[in-house]
Amino acid sequence: MLVDGQLFRTVWIPKGEENIVRIIDQRGLPFRFESVDLRTVDEVAVAIRDMWVRGAGCIEATAGYGMWLAACEAAETADFSTAFNRLAEVLRRTRPTAVNLSWALDRQLEVASGALGVSDKVAAVHSVAEEIADEDVAACRSIGEHGLHLFRDISEIKGGSPVNVLTHCNAGWLAFVDHGSATAPIYRAHDAGIPLHVWVGETRPRNQGARLTAWELGKHGVPHTVITDNAGGHLMRTGQVDLVITGTDRTTYTGDVVNKIGTYLKAVAANDCNIPFYVALPSSTFDWSAQDGLAEIPIEERSGNEVSCIEGLCDGEEIMVHLLPQGSPVANPAFDVTPARLVTGLITERGICKANEESILELFPEKKLS
Amino acid sequence: MLVDGQLFRTVWIPKGEENIVRIIDQRGLPFRFESVDLRTVDEVAVAIRDMWVRGAGCIEATAGYGMWLAACEAAETADFSTAFNRLAEVLRRTRPTAVNLSWALDRQLEVASGALGVSDKVAAVHSVAEEIADEDVAACRSIGEHGLHLFRDISEIKGGSPVNVLTHCNAGWLAFVDHGSATAPIYRAHDAGIPLHVWVGETRPRNQGARLTAWELGKHGVPHTVITDNAGGHLMRTGQVDLVITGTDRTTYTGDVVNKIGTYLKAVAANDCNIPFYVALPSSTFDWSAQDGLAEIPIEERSGNEVSCIEGLCDGEEIMVHLLPQGSPVANPAFDVTPARLVTGLITERGICKANEESILELFPEKKLS
């Protein structure tokens, strides 16, 4: 998407430079917009592990490109396969629970083993790295196309006055390679000239809404307003929200949506206010084995420091401040599960379906259990 | 309530000292616990206006005591009544929308005009100042007694394992003179030996939950855990909340509850999870003229700085940090309206009633429109 008028992806191979993977370093956002060059697998591993990049699609693509650097490094050794496998494991250890990470690594291992000579292996891995990134972009673009209709319909009903959409956390292009999932229909509708406005929940504790979503919408020129997570319900009750779209970290094949903590509160309020609540996801985010989100998917409990401290800018410097009384304990569940019954629809790269097994499997018939 | 083992009110006349009103200075909490002596009406006005004290009951009592200082000052002038009236207006201008403030001032003006000599007037105002504070304490204590039964019942069902109660914002003793409204049943049950645990939502943007409620619960020794506002729904969905109790800034005689932004999200989630949602209030908080909370009660839009900045402790110093991308607009509605249909019951000083006109007027029959 656009940053100050220039098109960016979150990760790419810069043209005309040798053996470099360039990423947007997300640690500094929204205060510093900087890209970083990664020249070794170890550097890629640090970037993934320490969350210079984050988000399923962005991690997946960075891992794909990292495997190209791995192939280049392995080509310098006496035994390509041994070195290549070892470097894949270096990357795999960075975020052990990221499904997309392992998927990209395994795909590259297979590609390399299928090519004959070392230089063919390197070329094949390079080509698949670009493919992985391009596929992510294509899936998100497709989500945007399908979601565009929702905006068109509401805009028509509203006679062209801005469509107010509320989102939570960052399921934006920064979490993918481009477009994003929840933001894809927003960017698509905005670029198509449909007047719209985005309510961005700040998304405590890590404030990805305020830090990342607000930043990327602003840079692309999309009208938006940051609100506390508490304010979403009031805006719905008072007719200021036409539509909610969020992303998801994992969605069961029955339509239960695991997403950033607080999503459920927005879904249950949207339901109470008769406001459509959509979840946008590339199909790689479906969990084809989980039937009951609440019962089967463990919710990560993250460090209490994320709640008790917050980072911000003071006199141009990024500093961390402490928010709580001394000795007050903290709990920090990172995700919640929104039951399928509260989800109006799922926006996937193949189209929009209802959040139930039948409708999901109609879009993805190859996943039907035989 | 207790602070490090010593009993405190939020405002009082220290024994054996002349013409002093002492308050807990809430600006420094939770990082600094300090009391401040107010010696003139102007000092009281600053303390109320600049929110050294806040919360309906606490403002009301501070205004009552402030009028005693006003009487002392007026007694030094040639014309008591003129001076006393003028000083009342100084106090009235501090928080123009605080209903309880005006109520306390008018009560004191009437008391003074009913006494004959100047020294009698001063004595009467002094005595009523103590009465106003004591009445607030008595109302809150009574709310605690009535709410105690809820804890007893749940504790019995749970076989004595801790009752998990969730609250929002600060409707604690810091907002009143003692006990608080939402916290009164919590303190009462805790002091009665019923095992309980409080989930304290941080309550962005001003974080009164994290700063004040967590502090006062901790100081009184009540087990509690601070969470982001986003986490409440997940805790409800996963059986970790037995009961929700909040306060209210204004409640219609039909049971619609105006309270700190985010309350509605908790109420709608509690309803979805079949968890009782109670609102605790002294009857002075009822609006006997408002029938429809959403349609009739205007919601204050506060400064966006409350969302874009936050205060915390860094190296022992309280500093403000900025949280947002440059140029991202902010909205900050301060309250929301929870419809009566989502409220299980209202805990008042006269007992618990349902959130509907009939049940409320059964407890307060003198308010019945003739």
Side-chain angles (χ1 to χ4, degrees), chain A residues 148-167:
Chain A
L148 171 62
H149 300 293
L150 300 174
F151 282 85
R152 276 212 203 290
D153 293 350
I154 295 169
S155 186
E156 209 160 282
I157 291 165
K158 293 188 80 179
S161 79
V163 178
N164 285 303
V165 54
L166 184 144
T167 190

Side-chain angles (χ1 to χ4, degrees), chain B residues 119-289:
Chain B
S119 69
D120 278 0
K121 287 178 192 287
V122 174
V125 167
H126 175 273
S127 152
V128 167
E130 296 284 20
E131 238 175 79
I132 290 172
D134 288 346
E135 284 168 16
D136 186 75
V137 173
C140 288
R141 189 186 294 124
S142 199
I143 287 170
E145 287 300 330
H146 295 297
L148 171 62
H149 301 293
L150 300 174
F151 282 85
R152 275 212 203 289
D153 292 350
I154 295 170
S155 187
E156 209 160 283
I157 292 166
K158 294 189 77 177
S161 80
V163 178
N164 284 303
V165 55
L166 184 144
T167 190
H168 188 62
C169 198
N170 178 256
W173 70 271
L174 289 168
F176 292 86
V177 177
D178 206 351
H179 308 294
S181 57
T183 53
I186 293 171
Y187 287 125
R188 185 65 188 82
H190 172 78
D191 291 349
I194 297 174
L196 61 86
H197 165 263
V198 188
W199 296 110
V200 180
E202 61 176 352
T203 319
R204 281 277 290 151
R206 288 174 64 90
N207 269 29
Q208 296 96 329
R211 293 183 70 121
L212 303 177
T213 305
W215 180 85
E216 58 168 270
L217 291 173
K219 287 299 181 186
H220 196 75
V222 179
H224 67 281
T225 303
V226 178
I227 52 171
T228 63
D229 302 309
N230 282 325
H234 171 71
L235 297 172
M236 292 185 205
R237 284 263 288 156
T238 51
Q240 300 181 74
V241 178
D242 299 307
L243 171 70
V244 182
I245 309 181
T246 76
T248 166
D249 291 84
R250 209 201 284 202
T251 289
T252 67
Y253 68 88
T254 56
D256 290 344
V257 171
V258 181
N259 194 39
K260 184 55 43 71
I261 191 78
T263 302
Y264 163 66
L265 289 172
K266 298 305 181 297
V268 74
N271 180 65
D272 188 57
C273 298
N274 284 314
I275 293 167
F277 181 93
Y278 282 91
V279 175
L281 71 167
S283 57
S284 57
T285 306
F286 279 114
D287 183 332
W288 300 106
S289 68

Side-chain angles (χ1 to χ4, degrees), chain A residues 202 204 224 264 272 328-329, chain B residues 202 204 224 264 272 328 341:
Chain A
E202 61 177 351
R204 282 278 290 152
H224 67 282
Y264 163 67
D272 189 58
S328 277
Chain B
E202 61 176 352
R204 281 277 290 151
H224 67 281
Y264 163 66
D272 188 57
S328 277
R341 66 183 155 83

Side-chain angles (χ1 to χ4, degrees), chain A residues 31 202 204 210 224-226 229-230 237 261-262 264 272-273 312-313 319 321-322 324-325 328-331 337 339 341, chain B residues 31 202 204 210 224-226 229-230 237 261-262 264 272-273 312-313 319 321-322 324-325 328-331 337 339 341:
Chain A
F31 308 122
E202 61 177 351
R204 282 278 290 152
H224 67 282
T225 304
V226 179
D229 303 309
N230 281 325
R237 283 265 286 157
I261 192 79
Y264 163 67
D272 189 58
C273 297
L313 211 61
I319 58 167
V321 295
H322 189 87
L324 300 191
S328 277
V330 171
V337 181
R341 67 184 155 83
Chain B
F31 308 122
E202 61 176 352
R204 281 277 290 151
H224 67 281
T225 303
V226 178
D229 302 309
N230 282 325
R237 284 263 288 156
I261 191 78
Y264 163 66
D272 188 57
C273 298
L313 213 59
I319 58 166
V321 294
H322 189 85
L324 299 192
S328 277
V330 171
V337 181
R341 66 183 155 83

